[in-house]
Structures are given as structure tokens and as C-alpha cells.
Amino acid sequence: MSDDDFALLAPHLELRSDRRGHIMFDREVATDRVWFPESGLGSIITSSPDGLRSENGLFGRDGFAPVSIIMGSDRSPHMAIVQVASECQVMPAAALLEAISASASLRAILLLYAQTLSVQTSYTGLSNAVHLVEERLARWLLMSQDRLDGTEVPLTHEYLSIMLSVRRPSITSALHGLEGNRLIRAERGCIIIRDRAGLEEFARDLYGVPEAEYERLIGPLR
């Protein structure tokens, strides 16, 4: 965003650190805060009435949450949790709404991010329907690395199982498959990307389109 638009937000921003598992906002609960991560990862989680959960969106320093705020709703059917410990700039939702009322360019860039997130979530749905677990895991690792520095992705088996909507033994098997292809090295609570180009090839065609949309509308993701 422009310096002028950032100046509208700056007086209201408060930097805070959040550990893995912290709930940014809960489903169907009115929220009065907006989160702009500077580091780490947040997961947008969809839950069924029976308690089944699946990640349908991933965000970090590339965006903000919840996007429902700028759409005119103070709540979402989803929840968002911190997946990788993060530092976030947090501000009152009312202040953000006041700022976008004063600036058409600020509203525009936030809506562009909402568009990129919608493309990401639609490709997640397609990936979940047609890809093998190993391919879906490769995609999520690439998406996670895009929003973090370095080659280490600190994800646990528990969170990976939520991300991919599979049981933990399936995650273990998928990790072994990627390790066998020398694409990653899995350690306790951490996955190290060894061959990013190979991982992109392994993830097939569902990695790249949402990332290209982000670059087209906003700028480089990495």
C-alpha cells in the first residue's frame, strides 16, 4: 500500500506476538480486531457440525484476516489460528473501516488481497479433490515457505493432518515419500526443503496459479 494509506492505519496498529495455536478469531463470533502478520503463518479453518476440521486458507505477511471485515461482516463461518508463531500488527476493525471509507486506494488493495485469497481457496478445493496426499503436501509446503524465510518450515504432524484433512499416519507416509525423492528432510516439528524446484514439479499444476494471481494484482509473494 502507499505511504499515505499506511499513515491512516499506523496510529492504530499494535505489535503483538502469538504462539502456535492462538485463535485469532473464532467461527460465528463477532470480531473487533484485524490481523496483519509480519511473520509466521495463520490458517483459516473450516469446521463441520461434527467437529471435523480442514484448512482452506493460508496467510502470513502477504495479507490480513479476517477479510470478512472489509466485506461488511463482523464475523465469519471460519476460524483462524496461528500455525507458526508470529508477530502481527493488530488494529481495531472499526479503525480499518474508517480508513477504507477515507481512502479508495486502501479499499482497493485490500479487496485485491481478498481476490487472491479466494483464488487460493478455490485451488485448495480442487487439490483436495484430485491430488494425492503427497502432492497436496508438496503444495502446502511450498505455500508455507513462500511466507517464511529460509528453508525450514516448522509444521507438526498434527497441523499437517488438519491442513490436508487426513489422518496422521497418512502424513507420515507422505513425508516419507517426499523424503525418498530427496525433496525434503523431516525432523521433529520441522520440515526442511531440500529441492524447491523438484517440489514444485512434484506438486504438479495446482501450485503456481494463485501465486501468479497475487503477483499480478499486488506484487512478488516471496
Side-chain angles (χ1 to χ4, degrees), residues 1 38 45 51 63 78 81 88 100 103 110 112 125 128 143 147 151-152 156-157 159 166 171 173-174 208 217 221:
M1 66 181 65
E38 291 191 348
I45 308 264
H78 312 297
I81 63 174
C88 293
I100 64 176
S103 172
L110 296 181
L112 287 177
N128 288 344
M143 291 171 60
R147 293 158 175 84
T151 60
E152 295 186 1
T156 66
H157 281 58
Y159 276 93
V166 296
I171 294 297
S173 177
L217 297 176
L221 184 59

Side-chain angles (χ1 to χ4, degrees), residues 5-214:
D5 284 340
F6 181 74
L8 294 174
L9 307 184
H12 309 285
L13 295 173
E14 177 185 355
L15 184 64
R16 58 175 293 174
S17 299
D18 291 305
R19 296 180 179 179
R20 174 183 290 161
H22 173 78
I23 297 176
M24 294 176 167
F25 60 88
D26 213 343
R27 58 194 297 266
E28 302 298 354
V29 176
T31 179
D32 61 357
R33 297 281 171 179
V34 181
W35 308 76
F36 292 87
E38 291 191 348
S39 62
L41 293 175
S43 290
I44 301 171
I45 308 264
T46 300
S47 302
S48 75
D50 293 332
L52 300 176
R53 298 193 297 171
S54 175
E55 181 180 77
N56 67 311
L58 182 69
F59 65 98
R61 59 192 178 197
D62 57 311
F64 70 99
V67 296
S68 60
I69 292 293
I70 65 167
M71 303 297 186
S73 174
D74 67 350
R75 66 199 66 199
S76 169
H78 312 297
M79 67 180 295
I81 63 174
V82 175
Q83 183 184 112
V84 174
S86 66
E87 286 195 335
C88 293
Q89 296 285 357
V90 185
M91 69 179 296
L96 179 63
L97 293 176
E98 184 177 344
I100 64 176
S101 294
S103 172
S105 58
L106 177 59
R107 176 188 290 272
I109 195 168
L110 296 181
L111 287 173
L112 287 177
Y113 171 70
Q115 160 67 7
T116 68
L117 184 63
S118 72
V119 173
Q120 180 201 129
T121 58
S122 67
Y123 271 75
T124 295
L126 179 58
S127 180
N128 288 344
V130 304
H131 274 186
L132 300 175
V133 174
E134 291 86 351
E135 296 163 342
R136 291 160 54 197
L137 176 58
R139 175 176 179 258
W140 278 117
L141 291 176
L142 290 165
M143 291 171 60
S144 298
Q145 190 190 25
D146 285 343
R147 293 158 175 84
L148 300 170
D149 293 316
T151 60
E152 295 186 1
V153 182
L155 298 175
T156 66
H157 281 58
E158 177 185 1
Y159 276 93
L160 288 169
S161 68
I162 294 173
M163 287 165 62
L164 301 181
S165 302
V166 296
R167 299 178 64 185
R168 290 180 64 173
S170 297
I171 294 297
T172 300
S173 177
L175 288 170
H176 287 164
L178 295 183
E179 279 192 297
N181 285 302
R182 304 182 67 82
L183 301 175
I184 66 166
R185 185 169 76 250
E187 298 182 353
R188 184 175 180 84
C190 182
I191 299 166
I192 299 170
I193 308 290
R194 300 180 62 187
D195 180 358
R196 181 179 171 93
L199 205 59
E200 290 183 13
E201 182 178 357
F202 191 89
R204 300 172 59 191
D205 57 333
L206 289 186
Y207 175 81
V209 174
E211 291 70 29
E213 181 76 343
Y214 188 96

